[in-house]
Amino acid sequence: MRVETQLAGEPNAELAASLDALHRDVYANNMAPYWVVDRSVAHDEDRQVQQGRKAIPFIWKYQRQIEPLLRRSAALIKTETSERRSLVLVNPGLAPQRATASTLYVAYRVNDPREIMPPHRHSPNAIRLGLTGVTNFTGVEGENIVFGPGDLVLTPNDTWHNHGNEGDEPAINLSVLDLPLAETLNSLYFEHDYTEEEEGVRIRRAMQTERFPPNYSQRVYGSGGFLPRFVSHHRGAGAASPMYVYRYEVMREFLEKCRDWDGDRHEALMLEYVNPTTGGPVYKTMTFFMQMLRPGERTLPLKQSANLVFSPFEGAGYSMIGDKRVDWERFDTVVVPGETWCQHVNASDKQPAILFVASDEPTLKALSFYQKHGKNDNGDIIRLT
């Protein structure tokens, strides 16, 4: 790194050469300097220590980009050669790392008719959100779940699960994982050798034995305010919500009931998916919401330390992210990195817009890093959390 400095207003070539040599030796020994030579960008180490790859605001368009590539992959990639057929959304600011935000990984998956992948498990927590098709399939720890558009399915850390499609039409779903966080914490693993014990012998199986009745999650946890004491709520590793599927019909009905409420000026109407045994988020690392923007609704600008990824499920509109306008429509995905101002606008004066939102807010709160700021009608910044 070439250094130029001044002493008494004149360049000091001897000092500059010595500093150059010092910096070369520091880097050669796999270290980095943290001192200020001058306040230019190149030499301000307060800025240097914050540099590196950072997620940037970005949008992936479903109809124009994602869906055509998924259809092509379905024609070319078969289950005989691959257990999954997914497109991972790679943030240009983080590439080549497969991450959509610094802690979140988003992928779109297509399953052809009547294909079921074998079970696997991994350290990242994950969800699936149905987009198209009514016969998406996920089996989780012996609970077989068939789901459709808007239904949210959990596959918690360390739970055996498999995916597929039980119907005669292709089905597409959206996945969100905390995989980049697990990778950063050196906790990432995948296992594919699923076995079950039969007469004292471990046997590899292509499907889990069904151990729970159909609609188990909805039957046990689907009535808010009531928690059965006659079942065990410790499922999988016991670190996530034991309710493995959240139906969109219930969520949408709740939003509609709340449609005439004032709502929040910065977030409109937001409903969070929660663990029914604790009232907290479904995972300790991620949380999820459905957000309704009523016809013509415009939120006030909001900035938070949490990373957000949102996918419009109904309607169309635009967001001001930083100083840029981002137009979105159904099934697109938009990333809003932490500490980025964001404001949403529903473009329709007749129909609501519904956004599915993923956030790493629980991670930030657990580490006491979470903050939320907003702007009021006058443009003044106010601390919200």
Side-chain angles (χ1 to χ4, degrees):
M1 179 172 69
R2 176 63 183 169
V3 175
E4 293 182 5
T5 188
Q6 290 185 338
L7 295 178
E10 296 295 330
N12 187 318
E14 182 177 354
L15 176 59
S18 297
L19 283 171
D20 282 346
L22 171 61
H23 289 135
R24 283 195 302 270
D25 290 343
V26 168
Y27 285 114
N29 283 278
N30 299 298
M31 294 182 242
Y34 193 2
W35 49 68
V36 177
V37 175
D38 59 53
R39 286 295 179 184
S40 66
V41 174
H43 304 141
D44 184 348
E45 298 299 344
D46 286 337
R47 293 191 191 184
Q48 295 276 357
V49 77
Q50 299 178 49
Q51 289 181 1
R53 294 180 301 165
K54 291 184 181 295
I56 63 172
F58 202 75
I59 182 171
W60 291 263
K61 301 296 291 182
Y62 179 78
Q63 288 189 352
R64 189 177 73 244
Q65 298 173 299
I66 297 168
E67 186 179 25
L69 291 172
L70 282 175
R71 300 298 184 196
R72 288 168 60 187
S73 74
L76 297 172
I77 309 299
K78 299 303 179 183
T79 56
E80 292 80 10
T81 59
S82 177
E83 292 185 1
R84 57 181 52 84
R85 191 188 299 108
S86 299
L87 291 176
V88 181
L89 304 186
V90 178
N91 192 295
L94 300 174
Q97 182 187 10
R98 295 190 178 190
T100 311
S102 59
T103 58
L104 301 173
Y105 166 113
V106 178
Y108 287 73
R109 181 186 187 117
V110 60
N111 285 115
D112 274 345
R114 303 293 175 180
E115 63 179 18
I116 305 292
M117 313 310 186
H120 66 282
R121 65 179 177 181
H122 41 66
S123 54
N125 296 290
I127 63 93
R128 300 296 183 279
L129 181 77
L131 298 181
T132 70
V134 296
T135 52
N136 280 285
F137 172 82
T138 292
V140 193
E141 289 289 314
E143 181 178 356
N144 290 340
I145 299 168
V146 177
F147 62 103
D151 294 339
L152 181 81
V153 178
L154 307 187
T155 52
N157 158 276
D158 208 37
T159 58
W160 287 103
H161 58 278
N162 59 330
H163 307 296
N165 178 4
E166 289 196 336
D168 296 322
E169 299 293 332
I172 295 174
N173 55 65
L174 178 75
S175 305
V176 183
L177 293 79
D178 54 14
L179 189 151
L181 178 62
E183 188 174 29
T184 297
L185 297 175
N186 198 32
S187 300
L188 187 62
Y189 69 80
F190 290 82
E191 295 181 10
H192 298 271
D193 55 341
Y194 179 73
T195 62
E196 292 183 4
E197 186 172 321
E198 297 182 7
E199 298 180 354
V201 179
R202 302 300 301 187
I203 304 295
R204 286 185 65 95
R205 292 181 62 97
M207 283 283 289
Q208 297 183 65
T209 298
E210 188 173 12
R211 303 194 303 276
F212 295 90
N215 299 320
Y216 177 85
S217 286
Q218 201 66 32
R219 290 170 62 186
V220 173
Y221 301 107
S223 298
F226 302 98
L227 186 66
R229 293 184 57 150
F230 48 83
V231 300
S232 170
H233 304 295
H234 186 101
R235 305 182 73 192
S241 169
M243 183 173 177
Y244 285 169
V245 58
Y246 295 72
R247 298 295 180 182
Y248 184 64
E249 180 182 6
V250 179
M251 170 68 77
R252 188 65 176 83
E253 181 181 355
F254 195 174
L255 282 170
E256 197 62 34
K257 288 179 180 178
C258 300
R259 189 165 173 167
D260 294 332
W261 285 48
D262 290 340
D264 185 281
R265 297 288 307 282
H266 297 92
E267 295 183 317
L269 296 179
M270 289 189 78
L271 292 181
E272 185 174 10
Y273 297 86
V274 298
N275 181 334
T277 66
T278 65
V282 297
Y283 293 133
K284 295 180 179 180
T285 54
M286 300 183 290
T287 191
F288 305 91
F289 309 87
M290 281 290 182
Q291 181 176 21
M292 174 185 276
L293 305 172
R294 290 156 292 191
E297 187 165 17
R298 174 190 298 262
T299 64
L300 290 174
L302 178 70
K303 178 180 75 170
Q304 51 190 307
S305 52
N307 294 291
L308 300 180
V309 175
F310 70 87
S311 297
F313 191 75
E314 294 183 31
Y318 68 90
S319 300
M320 295 301 301
I321 304 177
D323 59 356
K324 295 183 178 179
R325 171 170 167 156
V326 176
D327 291 271
W328 40 258
E329 57 190 348
R330 195 166 181 243
F331 298 168
D332 294 343
T333 288
V334 182
V335 61
V336 183
E339 300 298 340
T340 305
W341 286 103
C342 183
Q343 178 182 25
H344 297 313
V345 179
N346 182 356
S348 172
D349 60 359
K350 295 182 176 60
Q351 300 297 325
I354 309 291
L355 309 179
F356 172 70
V357 183
S359 169
D360 60 2
E361 180 181 312
T363 298
L364 277 293
K365 285 183 173 178
L367 299 173
S368 300
F369 289 152
Y370 185 69
Q371 291 189 8
K372 183 190 288 187
H373 293 84
K375 292 183 180 180
N376 60 21
D377 289 317
N378 297 323
D380 301 319
I381 297 176
I382 53 177
R383 177 76 176 264
L384 301 175
T385 302

